[in-house]
Amino acid sequence: MSYQYPLLNKVFKHFKNHQKDISNVYLVCCQHILGPQLKMFELLIDFGFEPTKIILLGKAYSTNKNVVKEIEKIGVTVIQPKFLGSSFDEEHRNNCENLLKVIPEKAEVILLDDGAELIKVFQERENILFAVEQTSSGFRKLENSQPSFPVINVARSSIKLIQESPLIARLCFERINDYLSEKVYKPAILIVGLGPIGEAIFEIFKQNNFNVVGFDTKQGHKELISFILDKEPDVIVGATGSNILSKEEIYKLISNKNIYLISVSSSDREFSVSPFRTGDEIHKDVLYKNITFVNNGFPITFKGNKYELTPIEIEKTLCLLGGAIIHSVVNNIKKGGLVNVSETLEELINQ
């Protein structure tokens, strides 16, 4: 797929004349390793980051192996740990802690994170210049324990909330609909978590005449497991970014009726899937009696493809991530804790 990323190039060009010497700064990243990310790292290197000082930690469920090779060719160090079948969050924290040991203790560091685990692990480290966090789940992790260094809060930028959320929701709907078309006739669907993504998914299903209901504690709903046993959905879509069904609650779903558990958030945390795994194939469904953990409990938006959303659809998100890094370098951001994305950057992206 050939795409030139005109908007991303424009953002980097805007800051190019203001760049500073960052050749000795480590850029430590946790990212989904997909085709579009390659372009962002190429531009970060062009901006002045030394490729051997860019350390990229992938996520087992979203990494495309061919893209790993392409990114390694431009000199970036890619660390792609093997998935062992345990809870992803547990494995990921260990991977982040191992990454901490790789970076020289006195080095100046910039963090680019997806999920805030990297930020939390590096939180006590000296010489962290700033961090960029892109997810709502990461934002919630940092909300009550803000680091002393600045964390650019991409997750709550208007571009990500208003413009990206419908794109993710559409992809979720398409993947879920394709999967269910071969499994269930006229499924009853429950969407758990009615934030920006969950609500958008709910509306798409409703517009397409599906039998769909929503659940969210912020709307006064209580006791999800009781709600499920009462409504008897065929499909439960987790969109909270948190654990919604424990192992013990999953046992309560055992019946003669097939039920499909589908995550559309980060990691495999929506449903306690790890006790039910019997292998380590990333994208294989996990079956337990009448219960199916679709895509191994991982987000259905990730299937190991080079592109999930198209480059043009994901470009503004890359502009937020790469742009937040170079804007913060140029402007020497110092204020600690969560910091909003610069209005100047958002206006530049939206022009």
Side-chain angles (χ1 to χ4, degrees), residues 29-233:
C29 313
C30 173
Q31 286 285 284
H32 302 304
I33 303 181
L34 304 170
Q37 272 72 7
L38 171 63
K39 181 63 177 179
M40 180 179 70
F41 284 111
E42 287 176 342
L43 289 171
L44 286 166
I45 290 169
D46 183 62
F47 186 76
F49 284 97
E50 168 60 41
T52 59
K53 290 185 173 64
I54 301 177
I55 315 297
L56 172 58
L57 175 65
K59 295 190 171 188
Y61 64 86
S62 60
T63 291
N64 179 271
K65 294 178 181 178
N66 291 329
V67 177
V68 169
K69 295 175 184 177
E70 292 176 29
I71 292 179
E72 287 176 333
K73 283 181 182 177
I74 63 174
V76 171
T77 299
V78 181
I79 299 173
Q80 184 55 54
K82 185 178 179 181
F83 178 61
L84 302 176
S86 301
S87 160
F88 176 82
D89 287 340
E90 293 175 14
E91 293 190 16
H92 181 56
R93 181 168 183 84
N94 289 334
N95 296 334
C96 289
E97 289 173 347
N98 289 335
L99 193 56
L100 182 64
K101 302 170 187 174
V102 172
I103 311 303
E105 193 170 337
K106 301 293 184 180
E108 291 186 321
V109 175
I110 294 169
L111 301 171
L112 172 60
D113 205 359
D114 182 303
E117 199 59 51
L118 196 62
I119 293 172
K120 289 182 74 68
V121 166
F122 274 76
Q123 196 162 338
E124 302 304 318
R125 189 77 173 262
E126 294 182 5
N127 297 327
I128 305 297
L129 301 182
F130 62 86
V132 176
E133 171 54 45
Q134 72 183 82
T135 67
S136 293
S137 59
F139 159 70
R140 287 192 292 270
K141 277 185 188 177
L142 299 171
E143 222 175 351
N144 298 319
S145 59
Q146 296 193 18
S148 58
F149 50 84
V151 179
I152 315 304
N153 185 12
V154 167
R156 284 297 176 263
S157 71
S158 60
I159 290 175
K160 192 147 173 63
L161 288 174
I162 298 171
Q163 298 181 42
E164 185 194 72
S165 292
L167 299 175
I168 301 292
R170 189 235 346 127
L171 178 62
C172 291
F173 169 77
E174 291 175 353
R175 294 274 172 92
I176 294 169
N177 192 32
D178 287 347
Y179 180 87
L180 294 177
S181 65
E182 301 176 358
K183 308 285 184 182
V184 193
Y185 179 67
K186 292 186 176 180
I189 297 174
L190 169 62
I191 311 291
V192 182
L194 299 176
I197 299 291
E199 185 174 15
I201 296 171
F202 177 88
E203 289 301 324
I204 297 174
F205 273 107
K206 189 175 178 182
Q207 290 163 11
N208 283 272
N209 300 314
F210 278 80
N211 175 10
V212 58
V213 295
F215 179 99
D216 196 307
T217 54
K218 291 182 179 178
Q219 295 192 4
H221 297 134
K222 297 179 180 179
E223 294 188 3
L224 174 59
I225 189 63
S226 299
F227 191 90
I228 293 169
L229 295 175
D230 178 55
K231 298 294 183 182
E232 295 187 332

Side-chain angles (χ1 to χ4, degrees), residues 8 11-12 15 27 40 44 47 49 110-113 129-134 150-155 157 316-333 339-346 348-349:
L8 190 60
V11 169
F12 274 81
F15 292 100
L27 177 60
M40 180 179 70
L44 286 166
F47 186 76
F49 284 97
I110 294 169
L111 301 171
L112 172 60
D113 205 359
L129 301 182
F130 62 86
V132 176
E133 171 54 45
Q134 72 183 82
V151 179
I152 315 304
N153 185 12
V154 167
S157 71
K316 283 193 174 183
T317 299
L318 296 178
C319 288
L320 284 170
L321 300 178
I325 292 171
I326 59 177
H327 174 271
S328 300
V329 166
V330 166
N331 290 280
N332 198 23
I333 301 296
V339 179
N340 290 334
V341 172
S342 157
E343 290 183 8
T344 301
L345 177 58
E346 291 212 68
L348 177 64
I349 294 170

